[in-house]
Amino acid sequence: MGYLRDMRRLVPLLLLLGCARVREGAPPTLDDRTHDVYRVWEDDFALAFAVDGLVAWMEENGRSEEAWDGLRLTNLTPDDVADVTVPGGADLADHVGIANAGPSVFPFDVHAAAVTEPDQIWTDPASFEQYDRTIIEGDANTFAGGESYFRSDNDVLKKGVFGVRIPYQLRKDYKWVPLAEGPAVFVARHWIAVPGCSDNGKNCVHQTFGLDVFVEDGDETLRLLTNWLYVETQADSLLSENARIALIAQGNQDLIEKADEELARRAEE
């Protein structure tokens, strides 16, 4: 019954994604700044300049249909990821990059506290069977209060159709970044520290690099998620490149929507 249920879910999706349209390329103001933020992460002065450019783009475009739909990013370069550990065999040319932006109806401080929680399954329960966050440097309370940074190791078990489960270890670090004008924002940078495959070895998350940006917007929060992703699945032969890109974009959208659903549930308790 589980297999049939997965088939009923997957077949319409494949039919839809088989003719997935081409997504627009990100404008230079978005594409260049995402590369900059990833590359200069440990340089607070340069990072503030790069984040300031991203925030300006988000304030103007973060609620647009194009931003929500997803914009293609150019591949990261070796210089961009020089200060993170890249597992062997993860060729940057094999990655697909996309950025999605959209609003959350929840205020900034709620998100700042939520990202410090040790159990992060709530960010998308349909996708994660396990998402355990361990802060290895920094302090959760200080960060939730609007200051400093924290670094975290994350044990993730990703769920897919047909009972596929892929374990991997994710490194994700957060920083508050002051801006030239306006309040500070907080940003996260992540990458896979240890890749993983399903039990049959045919579904693998080889590598993902990404950024999350949270910007206060009145009583709401503007969010930007980027992913440069390299995965292999048994469905690859059935999917066009545009279809694979559509799936990554959908994953980013889910993270924004599911987080708001959980925060809404908590607000009602």
Side-chain angles (χ1 to χ4, degrees), residues 84-105:
V84 303
T85 301
V86 181
D91 191 334
L92 295 175
D94 294 329
H95 289 64
V96 174
I98 194 161
N100 295 81
S104 163
V105 300

Side-chain angles (χ1 to χ4, degrees), residues 135-153:
I135 293 177
I136 57 175
E137 187 178 336
D139 179 75
N141 292 330
T142 302
F143 186 87
E147 298 179 12
S148 195
Y149 71 96
F150 72 87
R151 306 180 194 271
S152 70
D153 283 335

Side-chain angles (χ1 to χ4, degrees), residues 7-230:
M7 281 297 295
R8 287 194 294 269
R9 185 185 308 143
L10 183 61
V11 169
L13 180 63
L14 291 177
L15 291 174
L16 173 65
L17 293 177
C19 56
R21 54 187 173 66
V22 177
R23 277 167 165 75
E24 296 180 20
T29 49
L30 173 61
D31 192 62
D32 292 348
R33 294 295 83 76
T34 57
H35 283 254
D36 291 345
V37 169
Y38 211 97
R39 185 178 62 257
V40 303
W41 182 263
E42 299 296 348
D43 182 335
D44 288 343
F45 181 81
L47 181 64
F49 179 81
V51 170
D52 200 67
L54 274 187
V55 171
W57 181 89
M58 290 171 65
E59 289 175 340
E60 183 174 351
N61 303 280
R63 294 177 180 268
S64 68
E65 291 185 10
E66 293 80 9
W68 177 250
D69 193 46
L71 296 163
R72 286 291 308 271
L73 298 171
T74 57
N75 284 354
L76 292 170
T77 68
D79 285 344
D80 293 333
V81 299
D83 68 340
V84 303
T85 301
V86 181
D91 191 334
L92 295 175
D94 294 329
H95 289 64
V96 174
I98 194 161
N100 295 81
S104 163
V105 300
F106 288 91
F108 201 50
D109 59 340
V110 171
H111 286 282
V115 299
T116 68
E117 295 177 6
D119 186 352
Q120 291 288 310
I121 287 178
W122 66 271
T123 57
D124 189 357
S127 292
F128 300 119
E129 185 171 321
Q130 176 185 352
Y131 195 150
D132 295 336
R133 172 160 293 166
T134 301
I135 293 177
I136 57 175
E137 187 178 336
D139 179 75
N141 292 330
T142 302
F143 186 87
E147 298 179 12
S148 195
Y149 71 96
F150 72 87
R151 306 180 194 271
S152 70
D153 283 335
N154 301 266
D155 291 320
V156 180
L157 186 59
K158 184 82 170 175
K159 296 187 293 187
V161 296
F162 306 118
V164 170
R165 300 157 77 243
I166 304 175
Y168 57 89
Q169 293 182 16
L170 184 75
R171 174 66 182 269
K172 193 160 188 176
D173 300 342
Y174 288 79
K175 276 188 177 183
W176 284 95
V177 180
L179 302 180
E181 297 181 5
V185 303
F186 68 92
V187 183
R189 181 178 73 158
H190 71 256
W191 67 95
I192 284 192
V194 179
C197 296
S198 60
D199 288 342
N200 65 8
K202 297 180 179 180
N203 303 276
C204 300
V205 179
H206 293 292
Q207 186 53 268
T208 179
F209 304 97
L211 302 170
D212 294 6
V213 183
F214 296 76
V215 177
E216 186 174 11
D217 190 30
D219 293 332
E220 297 188 344
T221 302
L222 289 177
R223 295 193 59 185
L224 172 71
L225 277 72
T226 78
N227 269 301
W228 291 270
L229 185 63
Y230 172 33

